[in-house]
């Protein structure tokens, strides 16, 4: 470490990147990896009936009337028993242009299961070419890494492209030249978590009432599900590039 002077009083660690070897014939290597990712430690949420009963108990204990009506609780029971033949909500009697939501709806959703996939595929590929003669050695590596996100309704992904090249040429007994280069690009694409949910979308998931429908009886995503906002609220798209040549 003497050549590094005061910058290395305790020694140094030198990292050598991959490179070809003298006398090595052309060698091509391909390594591919396919994997799946899945959410971990996802909270298990109560169903709509449990939620309605606990919510009403809280209101009664606070000296107020139950917030969720007996008629709504009856619809919740019907929906849990037969979700295919029971609509998740009804028309608002005070506004026929709207459907009831929150404490007036009767869906039964675990929002973590609604929003998140059970699993998502990823892939990684690395290709390298190396070799050398008595006077020249070379190495070229290419890589691609792609990960899909875990959202059900909102496309999100990450990919990375990288390149590395090392070439060393012996000019004569006392001189050799080397060229080392590297380049990497990372791209991420995810939905924008809008201001209406405080920019903290995951924090809001367990706060969504299980009674809120994903879709209304007409087949449209409900605003209370926040699915339309995330789907149409723009994207967070970023690209970073990193390169060097020595």
């Amino acid at each position: 470490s003497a050549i590094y002077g005061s910058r290395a009083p305790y020694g140094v660690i030198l990292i050598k990147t991959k490179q070809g070897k003298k006398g090595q014939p052309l060698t091509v290597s391909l390594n591919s990896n396919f994997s799946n990712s899945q959410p971990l430690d996802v909270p298990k949420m109560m169903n709509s009936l449990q939620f309605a009963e606990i919510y009403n108990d809280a209101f009664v204990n606070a000296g107020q009337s139950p917030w969720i009506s007996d008629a709504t609780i009856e619809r919740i029971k019907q929906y849990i028993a037969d979700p295919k033949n029971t609509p998740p909500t009804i028309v608002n009697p005070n506004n026929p242009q709207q459907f009831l939501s929150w404490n007036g709806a009767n869906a039964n959703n675990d929002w973590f299961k609604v929003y998140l996939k059970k699993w998502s595929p990823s892939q990684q590929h690395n290709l390298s070419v190396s070799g050398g003669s008595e006077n020249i050695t070379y190495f070229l590596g290419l890589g691609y890494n792609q990960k899909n996100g875990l959202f059900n309704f909102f496309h999100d992904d990450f990919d990375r492209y990288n390149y590395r090249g090392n070439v060393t040429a012996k000019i004569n007994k006392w001189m050799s030249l080397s060229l080392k280069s590297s380049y990497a690009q990372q791209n991420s694409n995810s939905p924008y978590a809008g201001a209406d949910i405080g920019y903290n979308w995951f924090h809001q998931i367990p706060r969504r009432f299980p009674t809120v429908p994903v879709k209304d009886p007409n087949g449209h995503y409900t605003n209370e599900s926040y699915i339309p906002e995330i789907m149409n609220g723009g994207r967070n798209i970023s690209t970073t590039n990193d390169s060097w040549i020595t």
Side-chain angles (χ1 to χ4, degrees):
S1 64
I3 62 174
Y4 296 95
S6 61
R7 293 178 298 173
Y10 303 106
V12 295
I13 297 176
L14 299 179
I15 300 176
K16 295 184 66 177
T17 57
K18 293 181 179 180
Q19 51 190 338
K21 298 179 180 179
K22 288 184 177 181
Q24 175 188 339
L26 173 66
T27 302
V28 179
S29 175
L30 175 63
N31 185 300
S32 294
N33 179 272
F34 298 91
S35 61
N36 292 319
S37 58
Q38 65 184 59
L40 297 176
D41 298 326
V42 178
K44 184 178 180 180
M45 309 301 290
M46 66 181 68
N47 65 31
S48 290
L49 182 59
Q50 295 168 328
F51 173 85
E53 292 174 341
I54 290 175
Y55 222 97
N56 279 350
D57 286 345
F59 267 69
V60 171
N61 291 338
Q64 302 181 47
S65 299
W67 195 49
I68 300 175
S69 68
D70 291 340
T72 301
I73 290 179
E74 186 60 32
R75 284 191 281 110
I76 290 173
K77 293 179 180 179
Q78 293 173 5
Y79 185 87
I80 292 175
D82 188 10
K84 292 184 178 181
N85 297 308
T86 305
T89 185
I90 61 174
V91 173
N92 187 339
N94 299 318
N95 186 349
Q97 303 300 318
Q98 296 179 349
F99 291 98
L100 292 176
S101 190
W102 302 108
N103 65 319
N106 54 275
N108 182 40
N109 289 311
D110 181 333
W111 287 100
F112 284 104
K113 293 181 179 179
V114 170
Y115 286 130
L116 300 179
K117 299 176 182 177
K118 292 183 178 180
W119 61 274
S120 182
S122 299
Q123 58 181 317
Q124 183 175 6
H125 308 282
N126 292 289
L127 173 66
S128 66
V129 178
S130 61
S133 62
E134 285 301 313
N135 296 320
I136 297 178
T137 59
Y138 57 88
F139 173 87
L140 172 65
L142 301 173
Y144 173 65
N145 185 8
Q146 192 263 340
K147 295 183 178 181
N148 291 302
L150 288 165
F151 294 139
N152 264 324
F153 302 95
F154 332 117
H155 172 74
D156 67 311
D157 62 23
F158 168 87
D159 57 46
R160 183 177 189 272
Y161 304 86
N162 63 278
Y163 151 84
R164 182 179 297 277
N166 292 331
V167 178
T168 300
K170 182 178 180 181
I171 307 301
N172 51 41
K173 292 182 179 181
W174 52 270
M175 178 183 290
S176 61
L177 299 177
S178 65
L179 174 65
K180 298 181 179 181
S181 58
S182 175
Y183 173 77
Q185 181 183 89
Q186 295 186 163
N187 303 296
S188 64
N189 186 346
S190 62
Y192 166 77
D196 288 347
I197 54 176
Y199 302 99
N200 51 358
W201 185 67
F202 269 95
H203 173 71
Q204 299 295 334
I205 292 178
R207 302 179 68 185
R208 192 83 57 248
F209 286 15
T211 56
V212 170
V214 174
K215 293 183 177 181
D216 63 33
N218 291 332
H220 302 127
Y221 289 118
T222 63
N223 290 330
E224 293 80 6
S225 72
Y226 287 116
I227 292 174
E229 179 175 351
I230 303 295
M231 291 180 69
N232 304 313
R235 311 290 301 174
N236 289 319
I237 300 175
S238 67
T239 298
T240 58
N241 295 285
D242 183 25
S243 62
W244 54 263
I245 298 177
T246 59

